[in-house]
Amino acid sequence: MTYHPKSDFIAVMMERGFLADCTDYQGLDEALIKGCQPGYIGFDATAKSLHVGSLIQIMMLRWLQKTGHKPITLMGGGTTKVGDPSFRADERPLLTPAQIDENIAGIRKVFAAYIDYDSGAENAALMLNNDEWLADLNYLDFLRDIGRHFSVNRMLSFESVKSRLDREQSLSFLEFNYMILQAYDFMELNRRYGCILQMGGSDQWGNIVNGIDLTRRVIDHEVYGLTSPLLTTSDGKKMGKSQDGAVWLNPDMRSPYEFWQFWRNTTDADVGRFLKLYTELPVGECDRLGALAGSEINAAKVILANEVTTLCHGAEAAAAAEATAREVFEKGGIGDDLPTLTLGAADLPASIVQLIVKTGLAKSGKEAKRLIAEDGARLNDAPLTDAGMMIEASDLTQPIKLSAGKKRHALVQLA
């Protein structure tokens, strides 16, 4: 793609690696240089927090605001009642309105760290809920006024639907309606707030195109779509997952220390790319750090972890996480990719044998006991001799380090 953008926003999207596709580069570019323009991304409220997989979209909204435009975060209070079928093998479980409201309250906290909603500036962000206009739709009117603009043949051709049908997996009528509702959202946001841009992951391309088409047909307004690549790590894993589940952005669901550790354990090949996407360091500096090799790349990973954690949890939390990591890793003289077991208060007290098994240092309780009996186990680098030892919450004010032999280590921490 050789398009040379005039607007700061598209220039940033292109040079930092955010851009997968755009419905009309030139049209959007010309609109953006005319002044502050609203653009939105929708987030369904399927959990109490977003995870790292959504961070690329959050950063897109942040850059939209930093380049002078107005981000709209659209919470899917209405669409969550239906569930987005895009690229899923099964139907999403349906949530109650109370669960959806609780999830929206949790997600709202994440956005406050990245986006300015309250300054009163022309480009101060809006947080909206599509339940506001979807909840009271009259079904017959909606079918007549909106449904007639959708071709089922065309909807069946979108990759997100096609892949499900090709695998002969059920696609309910409820889910099939989702793309119509998302298209309606774009039109309503244009009508109510002058929103000209919808962004999302590349799996949302079909939904975005539907919204552009509907807006043009019903109210004859020109709007645009822009997608980001669906990110996987260099070893092919889906972004946002770690050994022990999703890497949540809310601190009560994933501690700032563990969040920091996730970024510190980035694969060498991903460092430069992740610096461009998830931090605001200049592109040249991201390239320089990403090109480091050997032990020097570890210093770049610490910078990545500090920058991303500062954006999400604040500079104090990032500094505390780095200090804890230095304490645990450097003084203990251990290697990099350390598995971490996070326990809740309900999991404690727990026997040391259980913890050795849960961290993956032994396959069974029997093996863990043998490891202790043969002097192969250590707790914070001291020999572990008591197989009956219990770990209480008071023992976990700082993470503890378990070791099996000289080379295998794991951390245990309190959530």
Side-chain angles (χ1 to χ4, degrees), residues 109-128:
K109 293 176 195 164
V110 174
F111 283 107
Y114 290 90
I115 297 165
D116 162 35
Y117 291 92
D118 304 314
S119 67
E122 185 189 10
N123 70 331
L126 290 173
M127 180 171 278
L128 305 171

Side-chain angles (χ1 to χ4, degrees), residues 90-367:
D90 53 1
E91 197 170 333
R92 288 184 187 274
L94 295 178
L95 303 177
T96 65
Q99 286 172 314
I100 292 169
D101 288 345
E102 194 182 341
N103 290 349
I104 288 173
I107 292 170
R108 190 184 296 271
K109 293 176 195 164
V110 174
F111 283 107
Y114 290 90
I115 297 165
D116 162 35
Y117 291 92
D118 304 314
S119 67
E122 185 189 10
N123 70 331
L126 290 173
M127 180 171 278
L128 305 171
N129 185 338
N130 64 13
D131 201 47
E132 192 185 319
W133 52 82
L134 295 180
D136 298 324
L137 285 176
N138 177 293
Y139 188 59
L140 291 177
D141 289 346
F142 185 73
L143 281 181
R144 190 191 60 210
D145 299 338
I146 303 301
R148 66 193 176 90
H149 295 292
F150 287 83
S151 154
V152 171
N153 310 49
R154 188 154 175 265
M155 288 161 81
L156 289 171
S157 73
F158 285 121
E159 194 53 43
S160 56
V161 174
K162 202 160 157 282
S163 61
R164 184 98 157 253
L165 297 177
D166 286 348
R167 295 193 300 268
E168 296 186 2
Q169 286 160 332
S170 170
L171 181 73
S172 73
F173 179 68
L174 181 71
E175 294 175 288
F176 200 54
N177 272 273
Y178 184 92
M179 62 176 80
I180 301 179
L181 295 177
Q182 187 171 326
Y184 186 76
D185 281 346
F186 197 179
M187 185 181 76
E188 274 300 301
L189 288 171
N190 179 260
R191 189 159 31 198
R192 293 173 182 228
Y193 301 97
C195 181
I196 66 156
L197 173 65
Q198 183 183 355
M199 301 182 288
S202 55
D203 60 338
Q204 295 298 313
W205 180 256
N207 292 338
I208 292 171
V209 168
N210 275 331
I212 292 168
D213 198 37
L214 183 68
T215 306
R216 196 183 68 246
R217 284 168 183 260
V218 178
I219 56 176
D220 196 25
H221 285 186
E222 196 67 45
V223 291
Y224 307 92
L226 185 152
T227 58
S228 62
L230 287 183
L231 267 201
T232 54
T233 54
S234 57
D235 54 3
K237 288 181 186 153
K238 197 173 177 184
M239 193 64 189
K241 301 285 183 186
S242 71
Q243 281 180 318
D244 52 344
V247 182
W248 300 106
L249 302 180
N250 283 33
D252 55 340
M253 290 178 71
R254 171 75 65 151
S255 74
Y257 172 74
E258 201 174 357
F259 182 80
W260 188 95
Q261 200 62 55
F262 170 80
W263 296 99
R264 168 63 184 82
N265 290 336
T266 294
T267 310
D268 293 4
D270 290 324
V271 172
R273 184 169 60 127
F274 286 2
L275 281 163
K276 285 183 199 168
L277 290 169
Y278 300 114
T279 81
E280 293 173 345
L281 292 177
V283 170
E285 179 67 355
C286 297
D287 286 334
R288 184 189 74 77
L289 290 168
L292 295 174
S295 60
E296 287 187 322
I297 193 76
N298 289 332
K301 291 179 187 183
V302 170
I303 291 169
L304 172 67
N306 283 338
E307 292 287 329
V308 182
T309 306
T310 296
L311 280 174
C312 190
H313 298 299
E316 210 173 289
E322 185 184 358
T324 303
R326 286 193 191 286
E327 185 75 25
V328 174
F329 295 117
E330 293 178 9
K331 293 190 180 173
I334 57 179
D336 287 338
D337 300 306
L338 209 66
T340 302
L341 173 66
T342 303
L343 299 175
D347 302 317
L348 297 165
S351 75
I352 200 72
V353 167
Q354 271 180 301
L355 296 183
I356 289 171
V357 174
K358 281 186 175 175
T359 53
L361 295 176
K363 289 191 175 76
S364 65
K366 192 174 175 183
E367 189 183 314

